[in-house]
Structures are given as C-alpha cells and as structure tokens.
Amino acid sequence: MKLTISNLSKTYPNGTRALDNVSIEIQTGMFGLLGPNGAGKSTLMRTIATLQMPDSGSIQLNELNVLTQKKEVRQILGYLPQEFGVYPKISAESLLDHLAVLKGITHKGTRKELVKALLEKTNLYHVRKKRLGGFSGGMKQRFGIAQALLTRPKLIIVDEPTAGLDPAERNRFHNLLSELGEEAIVILSTHIVDDVKELCTDMAIINHGKILMQGNPLAAISEVEGRVWKKRIHKSKLKEYRNNYQLISEKLIAGQPEIHVLSDENPGEGFLSTEADLEDVYFSYIHKSQAATSPVSA
Ligand code: ADP
C-alpha cells in the first residue's frame, strides 16, 4: 500500500491555516505524525479519513483518489478518532454486532464469528457483556480498534490514542497497533514522542500546518548525535539559561531541571555530552519553526 499526500492546504473560515502545502508519502507499516496541540494533525487525519475536504491538493491511496472516491476508500479504512463516543448502556458485544450490520455484514453466523474474533484480539472477550459505560479508557480504546477492524482495513488512522491510558493499557494498545502495522498502513497521530519512538519506522513532524521533516526516527536521531549537551541547573537559573542558550528541551528530573541544548561545539559551562533521543530531534524542529513564526522574546 502507498498513500501519497500532495500539496494539501486548508484554511478554516475563521482564517486559521491548519494545513500549509502538506506533502507526505506513507508506505505499509506504522507511521507517526508528531506535533504539538493545534499543529494540524486532526485536520490532516480527518481529511485522509474522507471526513473533510481540503482547499487544494490531492491524496492518492494506491489507485484510489481519496478526495473523490470516498465510498471506495471508506471500505478499506479504519478510523479511530480522538474520542470514540460509545453508547454507555449497551454491551461491547451488542454494539460491535450492531456496527457490523451497519458495515454491511448481514450474515448472522459470519457476524457472530467476526465479533468474537475481534473481541478476543482486543482482549475484551471476557468483558463482552459489560456495559461500555463501565469501561476504562484503555478498554474503550481497544473497543475503538475492534470497531475499526470490522472491515479488514488497509488504511488505519489513529488520532491521539494513548492520552489518558495507564502504562499497562498503553502497552497493550501499542502491541495491538504494531500487529496491525504488519499488513496495513497505520497512521498514528500524537503529541507523545515516546509513542512514535516505540512503534514507528517512519514519521513526520508537523507544526503550524507545515511538515518540518519526514524520515526514519533512528536516522533522524543519528543526525543530531554528538550535538546534544545536557546540564542540571537550579530552578532559579532557568530563565537565565533560556535567554543565553538555544534550549531544545527542559525536563524535571527528581524536581531539578535538566536542560538540553543543540550545539556543534561543547558549550562549556559544565554542559556534558549526552546521547540524543527522539525528543531532542522533535524539540529542535519545533523550536526552529516557532522561532521562524514568532518574534524573538526578550
Ligand atoms: P491538532 O490535531 O494538531 O491539535 P487541529 O487540526 O485540531 O490540530 O487544529 C489545527 C488548527 O486549526 C488549530 O489552530 C485549531 O484551533 C484550528 N481548527 C481546527 N478545527 C477548526 C475548525 N473547525 N474551525 C476553525 N479552526 C479550527
């Protein structure tokens, strides 16, 4: 499978340019679309999922024109939106069965087998009779996957899936996704760098509606390798360091800030060389794009 997105642009009626000339090529496997809130991810996901139209550009899925052949695309599409709304009073098994009917699986025996297989695959068979309203966040997400798989999709779109999942639920969800990536295109849209690091063989970073990079996460990391420097500082010094250095990230470790800077040379001042990770890659692109669009703050 190959999904080719070319020169896609979208400006909402209020003037927000959500997509700005987006071009990406995506092959079978797990693809991560990484960007902060408001970057344009959902707009892009909904457009690929045939739920909204761009102002210009094209999307091709193998021989299908996604923007005009919506019906054909929907037959091979599995879409798991940010919030999968469920009917709280109905059981997982009944809703899945009902959704299967809507998808055109009318033969009762076939449907029964399919529903059973999907509930088993998503590890929900033991709670199949339970009301969906009583499901945890992770169970709802897995139910979302089960419904997305009703039609053996070739293209699976998962929008911000792991927000609110506990580590064990997230793990289970990751395993399920990576299994799907073996035979379909799975696009995972997220602001969580670790989700992409753990799962994806290809990725893009988006901000302000623009694609800032596309490539293999490990290759992207090796590009900044040797240029990332870290330092533990006192909280009170954070502002001073922000002013004097190009920080790519700040995180608290045991309550104390650790800052990372990107520099070809050792910045001195007690900075230590550190192994680069995907977060360094991500923040270096995001900061570059912020600097390009906002005035320098004093
Ligand atoms: P993300 O999924 O990365 O958070 P979105 O695609 O939801 O980004 O949003 C991109 C930008 O478009 C944001 O500035 C958002 O506020 C804006 N936006 C999204 N949907 C609409 C809409 N229906 N009308 C107006 N602006 C919107």
mmCIF file of all heavy atoms in Angstrom, residues 221-232 248-251 253 258-268 270-281:
data_model
loop_
_atom_site.group_PDB
_atom_site.id
_atom_site.type_symbol
_atom_site.label_atom_id
_atom_site.label_comp_id
_atom_site.label_asym_id
_atom_site.label_seq_id
_atom_site.Cartn_x
_atom_site.Cartn_y
_atom_site.Cartn_z
ATOM 1 N N ILE A 221 17.570 10.647 14.633
ATOM 2 C CA ILE A 221 18.349 10.759 15.875
ATOM 3 C C ILE A 221 19.840 10.815 15.552
ATOM 4 O O ILE A 221 20.580 11.631 16.092
ATOM 5 C CB ILE A 221 18.056 9.567 16.822
ATOM 6 C CG1 ILE A 221 16.621 9.652 17.346
ATOM 7 C CG2 ILE A 221 19.043 9.537 17.984
ATOM 8 C CD1 ILE A 221 16.151 8.433 18.113
ATOM 9 N N SER A 222 20.269 9.972 14.594
ATOM 10 C CA SER A 222 21.710 9.947 14.324
ATOM 11 C C SER A 222 22.184 11.272 13.714
ATOM 12 O O SER A 222 23.343 11.629 13.837
ATOM 13 C CB SER A 222 22.092 8.742 13.460
ATOM 14 O OG SER A 222 21.590 8.916 12.174
ATOM 15 N N GLU A 223 21.260 12.039 13.118
ATOM 16 C CA GLU A 223 21.656 13.348 12.581
ATOM 17 C C GLU A 223 22.024 14.362 13.664
ATOM 18 O O GLU A 223 22.800 15.273 13.415
ATOM 19 C CB GLU A 223 20.532 13.927 11.714
ATOM 20 C CG GLU A 223 20.654 13.469 10.277
ATOM 21 C CD GLU A 223 19.508 13.955 9.426
ATOM 22 O OE1 GLU A 223 19.036 15.082 9.668
ATOM 23 O OE2 GLU A 223 19.084 13.190 8.547
ATOM 24 N N VAL A 224 21.424 14.213 14.841
ATOM 25 C CA VAL A 224 21.776 15.175 15.906
ATOM 26 C C VAL A 224 22.767 14.585 16.910
ATOM 27 O O VAL A 224 23.226 15.268 17.819
ATOM 28 C CB VAL A 224 20.530 15.715 16.671
ATOM 29 C CG1 VAL A 224 19.663 16.563 15.781
ATOM 30 C CG2 VAL A 224 19.732 14.591 17.298
ATOM 31 N N GLU A 225 23.088 13.280 16.717
ATOM 32 C CA GLU A 225 24.012 12.606 17.635
ATOM 33 C C GLU A 225 25.328 13.391 17.734
ATOM 34 O O GLU A 225 25.848 13.872 16.728
ATOM 35 C CB GLU A 225 24.284 11.188 17.107
ATOM 36 C CG GLU A 225 24.837 10.219 18.120
ATOM 37 C CD GLU A 225 23.896 9.985 19.297
ATOM 38 O OE1 GLU A 225 22.958 9.182 19.180
ATOM 39 O OE2 GLU A 225 24.123 10.648 20.328
ATOM 40 N N GLY A 226 25.846 13.534 18.940
ATOM 41 C CA GLY A 226 27.111 14.246 19.136
ATOM 42 C C GLY A 226 26.935 15.757 19.274
ATOM 43 O O GLY A 226 27.903 16.472 19.541
ATOM 44 N N ARG A 227 25.719 16.249 19.059
ATOM 45 C CA ARG A 227 25.493 17.702 19.151
ATOM 46 C C ARG A 227 24.525 18.072 20.284
ATOM 47 O O ARG A 227 24.087 19.198 20.372
ATOM 48 C CB ARG A 227 24.945 18.220 17.810
ATOM 49 C CG ARG A 227 25.953 18.091 16.668
ATOM 50 C CD ARG A 227 25.534 18.916 15.482
ATOM 51 N NE ARG A 227 24.375 18.331 14.809
ATOM 52 C CZ ARG A 227 23.328 19.035 14.394
ATOM 53 N NH1 ARG A 227 23.270 20.335 14.601
ATOM 54 N NH2 ARG A 227 22.327 18.431 13.776
ATOM 55 N N VAL A 228 24.179 17.084 21.106
ATOM 56 C CA VAL A 228 23.249 17.366 22.203
ATOM 57 C C VAL A 228 24.027 17.401 23.524
ATOM 58 O O VAL A 228 24.807 16.498 23.822
ATOM 59 C CB VAL A 228 22.129 16.298 22.283
ATOM 60 C CG1 VAL A 228 21.147 16.648 23.393
ATOM 61 C CG2 VAL A 228 21.398 16.183 20.956
ATOM 62 N N TRP A 229 23.808 18.475 24.275
ATOM 63 C CA TRP A 229 24.535 18.688 25.532
ATOM 64 C C TRP A 229 23.526 18.897 26.645
ATOM 65 O O TRP A 229 22.512 19.559 26.450
ATOM 66 C CB TRP A 229 25.448 19.913 25.405
ATOM 67 C CG TRP A 229 26.344 19.818 24.205
ATOM 68 C CD1 TRP A 229 26.033 20.177 22.929
ATOM 69 C CD2 TRP A 229 27.663 19.290 24.157
ATOM 70 N NE1 TRP A 229 27.091 19.911 22.083
ATOM 71 C CE2 TRP A 229 28.110 19.365 22.814
ATOM 72 C CE3 TRP A 229 28.534 18.752 25.126
ATOM 73 C CZ2 TRP A 229 29.368 18.926 22.426
ATOM 74 C CZ3 TRP A 229 29.802 18.331 24.727
ATOM 75 C CH2 TRP A 229 30.204 18.417 23.393
ATOM 76 N N LYS A 230 23.830 18.335 27.799
ATOM 77 C CA LYS A 230 22.868 18.460 28.901
ATOM 78 C C LYS A 230 23.522 19.088 30.131
ATOM 79 O O LYS A 230 24.745 19.036 30.309
ATOM 80 C CB LYS A 230 22.296 17.089 29.264
ATOM 81 C CG LYS A 230 23.293 16.175 29.941
ATOM 82 C CD LYS A 230 22.622 14.933 30.494
ATOM 83 C CE LYS A 230 23.689 14.021 31.111
ATOM 84 N NZ LYS A 230 23.189 12.731 31.515
ATOM 85 N N LYS A 231 22.656 19.675 30.942
ATOM 86 C CA LYS A 231 23.148 20.224 32.206
ATOM 87 C C LYS A 231 22.012 20.254 33.212
ATOM 88 O O LYS A 231 20.890 20.627 32.874
ATOM 89 C CB LYS A 231 23.686 21.640 31.983
ATOM 90 C CG LYS A 231 24.344 22.231 33.202
ATOM 91 C CD LYS A 231 24.976 23.581 32.920
ATOM 92 C CE LYS A 231 25.613 24.117 34.208
ATOM 93 N NZ LYS A 231 26.230 25.432 34.012
ATOM 94 N N ARG A 232 22.328 19.864 34.441
ATOM 95 C CA ARG A 232 21.375 20.022 35.547
ATOM 96 C C ARG A 232 21.588 21.405 36.132
ATOM 97 O O ARG A 232 22.732 21.759 36.449
ATOM 98 C CB ARG A 232 21.676 18.996 36.649
ATOM 99 C CG ARG A 232 21.395 17.584 36.277
ATOM 100 C CD ARG A 232 19.941 17.251 36.627
ATOM 101 N NE ARG A 232 19.718 15.835 36.424
ATOM 102 C CZ ARG A 232 19.692 14.949 37.427
ATOM 103 N NH1 ARG A 232 19.832 15.340 38.668
ATOM 104 N NH2 ARG A 232 19.514 13.672 37.167
ATOM 105 N N ILE A 248 16.765 23.105 23.639
ATOM 106 C CA ILE A 248 15.825 22.289 22.882
ATOM 107 C C ILE A 248 14.840 21.594 23.806
ATOM 108 O O ILE A 248 13.739 21.278 23.398
ATOM 109 C CB ILE A 248 16.485 21.262 21.923
ATOM 110 C CG1 ILE A 248 17.605 20.506 22.609
ATOM 111 C CG2 ILE A 248 16.963 21.925 20.660
ATOM 112 C CD1 ILE A 248 18.170 19.400 21.749
ATOM 113 N N SER A 249 15.227 21.338 25.035
ATOM 114 C CA SER A 249 14.235 20.788 25.953
ATOM 115 C C SER A 249 14.614 21.084 27.394
ATOM 116 O O SER A 249 15.779 21.338 27.713
ATOM 117 C CB SER A 249 14.059 19.285 25.743
ATOM 118 O OG SER A 249 15.201 18.592 26.198
ATOM 119 N N GLU A 250 13.595 21.082 28.229
ATOM 120 C CA GLU A 250 13.806 21.235 29.677
ATOM 121 C C GLU A 250 12.931 20.191 30.312
ATOM 122 O O GLU A 250 11.758 20.106 29.978
ATOM 123 C CB GLU A 250 13.302 22.587 30.191
ATOM 124 C CG GLU A 250 13.412 23.707 29.242
ATOM 125 C CD GLU A 250 12.722 24.985 29.731
ATOM 126 O OE1 GLU A 250 11.844 24.925 30.611
ATOM 127 O OE2 GLU A 250 13.079 26.033 29.203
ATOM 128 N N LYS A 251 13.496 19.377 31.149
ATOM 129 C CA LYS A 251 12.607 18.495 31.914
ATOM 130 C C LYS A 251 13.067 18.396 33.340
ATOM 131 O O LYS A 251 14.232 18.649 33.639
ATOM 132 C CB LYS A 251 12.461 17.123 31.256
ATOM 133 C CG LYS A 251 13.724 16.377 31.002
ATOM 134 C CD LYS A 251 13.415 15.103 30.237
ATOM 135 C CE LYS A 251 14.586 14.680 29.381
ATOM 136 N NZ LYS A 251 14.239 13.830 28.275
ATOM 137 N N ILE A 253 14.038 16.358 36.538
ATOM 138 C CA ILE A 253 14.438 15.028 36.996
ATOM 139 C C ILE A 253 14.592 15.125 38.500
ATOM 140 O O ILE A 253 15.414 15.900 38.996
ATOM 141 C CB ILE A 253 15.732 14.568 36.296
ATOM 142 C CG1 ILE A 253 15.456 14.436 34.810
ATOM 143 C CG2 ILE A 253 16.238 13.258 36.897
ATOM 144 C CD1 ILE A 253 16.611 14.021 33.965
ATOM 145 N N GLU A 258 16.620 19.626 34.050
ATOM 146 C CA GLU A 258 17.745 19.242 33.190
ATOM 147 C C GLU A 258 17.468 19.856 31.830
ATOM 148 O O GLU A 258 16.400 19.641 31.256
ATOM 149 C CB GLU A 258 17.869 17.721 33.066
ATOM 150 C CG GLU A 258 19.059 17.333 32.182
ATOM 151 C CD GLU A 258 19.217 15.826 32.021
ATOM 152 O OE1 GLU A 258 19.750 15.179 32.932
ATOM 153 O OE2 GLU A 258 18.792 15.305 30.984
ATOM 154 N N ILE A 259 18.429 20.636 31.358
ATOM 155 C CA ILE A 259 18.222 21.292 30.056
ATOM 156 C C ILE A 259 19.090 20.623 28.993
ATOM 157 O O ILE A 259 20.168 20.093 29.287
ATOM 158 C CB ILE A 259 18.540 22.807 30.138
ATOM 159 C CG1 ILE A 259 19.944 23.050 30.669
ATOM 160 C CG2 ILE A 259 17.496 23.529 30.995
ATOM 161 C CD1 ILE A 259 20.367 24.510 30.611
ATOM 162 N N HIS A 260 18.603 20.638 27.771
ATOM 163 C CA HIS A 260 19.369 20.147 26.630
ATOM 164 C C HIS A 260 19.571 21.291 25.643
ATOM 165 O O HIS A 260 18.638 22.056 25.402
ATOM 166 C CB HIS A 260 18.607 19.028 25.910
ATOM 167 C CG HIS A 260 18.709 17.703 26.598
ATOM 168 N ND1 HIS A 260 18.345 16.522 26.004
ATOM 169 C CD2 HIS A 260 19.145 17.370 27.837
ATOM 170 C CE1 HIS A 260 18.553 15.528 26.846
ATOM 171 N NE2 HIS A 260 19.018 16.007 27.969
ATOM 172 N N VAL A 261 20.764 21.408 25.127
ATOM 173 C CA VAL A 261 20.990 22.374 24.049
ATOM 174 C C VAL A 261 21.598 21.638 22.855
ATOM 175 O O VAL A 261 22.225 20.583 23.013
ATOM 176 C CB VAL A 261 21.929 23.541 24.457
ATOM 177 C CG1 VAL A 261 21.404 24.280 25.672
ATOM 178 C CG2 VAL A 261 23.339 23.047 24.701
ATOM 179 N N LEU A 262 21.380 22.217 21.679
ATOM 180 C CA LEU A 262 21.949 21.634 20.460
ATOM 181 C C LEU A 262 23.101 22.537 20.030
ATOM 182 O O LEU A 262 22.910 23.746 19.862
ATOM 183 C CB LEU A 262 20.857 21.610 19.379
ATOM 184 C CG LEU A 262 21.081 20.741 18.168
ATOM 185 C CD1 LEU A 262 21.180 19.280 18.551
ATOM 186 C CD2 LEU A 262 19.928 20.936 17.173
ATOM 187 N N SER A 263 24.284 21.972 19.904
ATOM 188 C CA SER A 263 25.429 22.804 19.537
ATOM 189 C C SER A 263 26.508 21.937 18.893
ATOM 190 O O SER A 263 26.777 20.838 19.364
ATOM 191 C CB SER A 263 25.982 23.478 20.808
ATOM 192 O OG SER A 263 27.248 24.024 20.561
ATOM 193 N N ASP A 264 27.136 22.442 17.811
ATOM 194 C CA ASP A 264 28.213 21.686 17.170
ATOM 195 C C ASP A 264 29.412 21.568 18.106
ATOM 196 O O ASP A 264 30.154 20.605 18.080
ATOM 197 C CB ASP A 264 28.632 22.386 15.869
ATOM 198 C CG ASP A 264 27.555 22.238 14.809
ATOM 199 O OD1 ASP A 264 26.693 21.347 14.979
ATOM 200 O OD2 ASP A 264 27.555 23.008 13.831
ATOM 201 N N GLU A 265 29.604 22.583 18.917
ATOM 202 C CA GLU A 265 30.756 22.604 19.819
ATOM 203 C C GLU A 265 30.311 22.458 21.265
ATOM 204 O O GLU A 265 29.187 22.829 21.594
ATOM 205 C CB GLU A 265 31.468 23.950 19.693
ATOM 206 C CG GLU A 265 31.525 24.461 18.277
ATOM 207 C CD GLU A 265 32.932 24.721 17.846
ATOM 208 O OE1 GLU A 265 33.591 25.468 18.578
ATOM 209 O OE2 GLU A 265 33.338 24.168 16.808
ATOM 210 N N ASN A 266 31.214 21.984 22.098
ATOM 211 C CA ASN A 266 30.929 21.902 23.523
ATOM 212 C C ASN A 266 30.660 23.314 24.077
ATOM 213 O O ASN A 266 31.516 24.176 23.974
ATOM 214 C CB ASN A 266 32.153 21.283 24.211
ATOM 215 C CG ASN A 266 31.900 21.049 25.686
ATOM 216 O OD1 ASN A 266 30.982 21.625 26.263
ATOM 217 N ND2 ASN A 266 32.720 20.206 26.284
ATOM 218 N N PRO A 267 29.480 23.545 24.630
ATOM 219 C CA PRO A 267 29.206 24.903 25.121
ATOM 220 C C PRO A 267 29.987 25.264 26.384
ATOM 221 O O PRO A 267 29.918 26.414 26.830
ATOM 222 C CB PRO A 267 27.696 24.873 25.429
ATOM 223 C CG PRO A 267 27.191 23.529 25.051
ATOM 224 C CD PRO A 267 28.360 22.631 24.825
ATOM 225 N N GLY A 268 30.755 24.325 26.967
ATOM 226 C CA GLY A 268 31.484 24.616 28.197
ATOM 227 C C GLY A 268 30.514 24.798 29.352
ATOM 228 O O GLY A 268 29.416 24.220 29.339
ATOM 229 N N GLY A 270 30.089 23.617 32.112
ATOM 230 C CA GLY A 270 29.576 22.443 32.818
ATOM 231 C C GLY A 270 28.593 21.590 32.024
ATOM 232 O O GLY A 270 28.021 20.642 32.559
ATOM 233 N N PHE A 271 28.362 21.903 30.755
ATOM 234 C CA PHE A 271 27.491 21.052 29.931
ATOM 235 C C PHE A 271 28.199 19.729 29.630
ATOM 236 O O PHE A 271 29.412 19.697 29.411
ATOM 237 C CB PHE A 271 27.154 21.745 28.608
ATOM 238 C CG PHE A 271 25.991 22.695 28.712
ATOM 239 C CD1 PHE A 271 26.204 24.054 28.957
ATOM 240 C CD2 PHE A 271 24.701 22.241 28.565
ATOM 241 C CE1 PHE A 271 25.140 24.934 29.054
ATOM 242 C CE2 PHE A 271 23.622 23.116 28.667
ATOM 243 C CZ PHE A 271 23.838 24.463 28.905
ATOM 244 N N LEU A 272 27.447 18.648 29.631
ATOM 245 C CA LEU A 272 28.012 17.340 29.316
ATOM 246 C C LEU A 272 27.377 16.811 28.035
ATOM 247 O O LEU A 272 26.186 17.024 27.802
ATOM 248 C CB LEU A 272 27.709 16.339 30.439
ATOM 249 C CG LEU A 272 28.271 16.663 31.820
ATOM 250 C CD1 LEU A 272 27.707 15.689 32.848
ATOM 251 C CD2 LEU A 272 29.796 16.574 31.773
ATOM 252 N N SER A 273 28.182 16.094 27.243
ATOM 253 C CA SER A 273 27.644 15.484 26.039
ATOM 254 C C SER A 273 26.646 14.402 26.449
ATOM 255 O O SER A 273 26.859 13.693 27.425
ATOM 256 C CB SER A 273 28.797 14.864 25.244
ATOM 257 O OG SER A 273 28.265 14.133 24.180
ATOM 258 N N THR A 274 25.552 14.283 25.730
ATOM 259 C CA THR A 274 24.582 13.245 26.086
ATOM 260 C C THR A 274 24.048 12.578 24.827
ATOM 261 O O THR A 274 24.051 13.166 23.746
ATOM 262 C CB THR A 274 23.426 13.831 26.925
ATOM 263 O OG1 THR A 274 22.553 12.768 27.315
ATOM 264 C CG2 THR A 274 22.609 14.862 26.163
ATOM 265 N N GLU A 275 23.624 11.339 25.004
ATOM 266 C CA GLU A 275 23.084 10.585 23.870
ATOM 267 C C GLU A 275 21.800 11.251 23.373
ATOM 268 O O GLU A 275 20.943 11.624 24.172
ATOM 269 C CB GLU A 275 22.751 9.183 24.368
ATOM 270 C CG GLU A 275 22.850 8.129 23.292
ATOM 271 C CD GLU A 275 22.569 6.745 23.885
ATOM 272 O OE1 GLU A 275 23.185 6.429 24.913
ATOM 273 O OE2 GLU A 275 21.734 6.043 23.309
ATOM 274 N N ALA A 276 21.684 11.434 22.067
ATOM 275 C CA ALA A 276 20.498 12.095 21.527
ATOM 276 C C ALA A 276 19.318 11.130 21.547
ATOM 277 O O ALA A 276 19.493 9.916 21.407
ATOM 278 C CB ALA A 276 20.766 12.532 20.095
ATOM 279 N N ASP A 277 18.123 11.657 21.740
ATOM 280 C CA ASP A 277 16.949 10.810 21.553
ATOM 281 C C ASP A 277 15.911 11.553 20.696
ATOM 282 O O ASP A 277 16.138 12.693 20.293
ATOM 283 C CB ASP A 277 16.382 10.294 22.880
ATOM 284 C CG ASP A 277 15.856 11.413 23.750
ATOM 285 O OD1 ASP A 277 15.564 12.490 23.222
ATOM 286 O OD2 ASP A 277 15.733 11.193 24.961
ATOM 287 N N LEU A 278 14.798 10.880 20.460
ATOM 288 C CA LEU A 278 13.826 11.440 19.518
ATOM 289 C C LEU A 278 13.235 12.755 20.035
ATOM 290 O O LEU A 278 12.864 13.629 19.257
ATOM 291 C CB LEU A 278 12.719 10.415 19.242
ATOM 292 C CG LEU A 278 11.885 10.690 17.987
ATOM 293 C CD1 LEU A 278 12.739 10.782 16.744
ATOM 294 C CD2 LEU A 278 10.799 9.632 17.815
ATOM 295 N N GLU A 279 13.183 12.879 21.342
ATOM 296 C CA GLU A 279 12.678 14.128 21.917
ATOM 297 C C GLU A 279 13.576 15.303 21.514
ATOM 298 O O GLU A 279 13.088 16.396 21.231
ATOM 299 C CB GLU A 279 12.648 13.978 23.437
ATOM 300 C CG GLU A 279 11.585 14.820 24.068
ATOM 301 C CD GLU A 279 11.020 14.159 25.309
ATOM 302 O OE1 GLU A 279 10.106 13.331 25.185
ATOM 303 O OE2 GLU A 279 11.516 14.498 26.384
ATOM 304 N N ASP A 280 14.893 15.073 21.478
ATOM 305 C CA ASP A 280 15.808 16.141 21.060
ATOM 306 C C ASP A 280 15.543 16.530 19.612
ATOM 307 O O ASP A 280 15.545 17.705 19.253
ATOM 308 C CB ASP A 280 17.265 15.683 21.221
ATOM 309 C CG ASP A 280 17.631 15.443 22.684
ATOM 310 O OD1 ASP A 280 17.285 16.304 23.506
ATOM 311 O OD2 ASP A 280 18.222 14.397 22.986
ATOM 312 N N VAL A 281 15.319 15.508 18.777
ATOM 313 C CA VAL A 281 15.024 15.770 17.358
ATOM 314 C C VAL A 281 13.740 16.582 17.257
ATOM 315 O O VAL A 281 13.681 17.631 16.612
ATOM 316 C CB VAL A 281 14.841 14.439 16.583
ATOM 317 C CG1 VAL A 281 14.364 14.701 15.165
ATOM 318 C CG2 VAL A 281 16.125 13.632 16.600
#
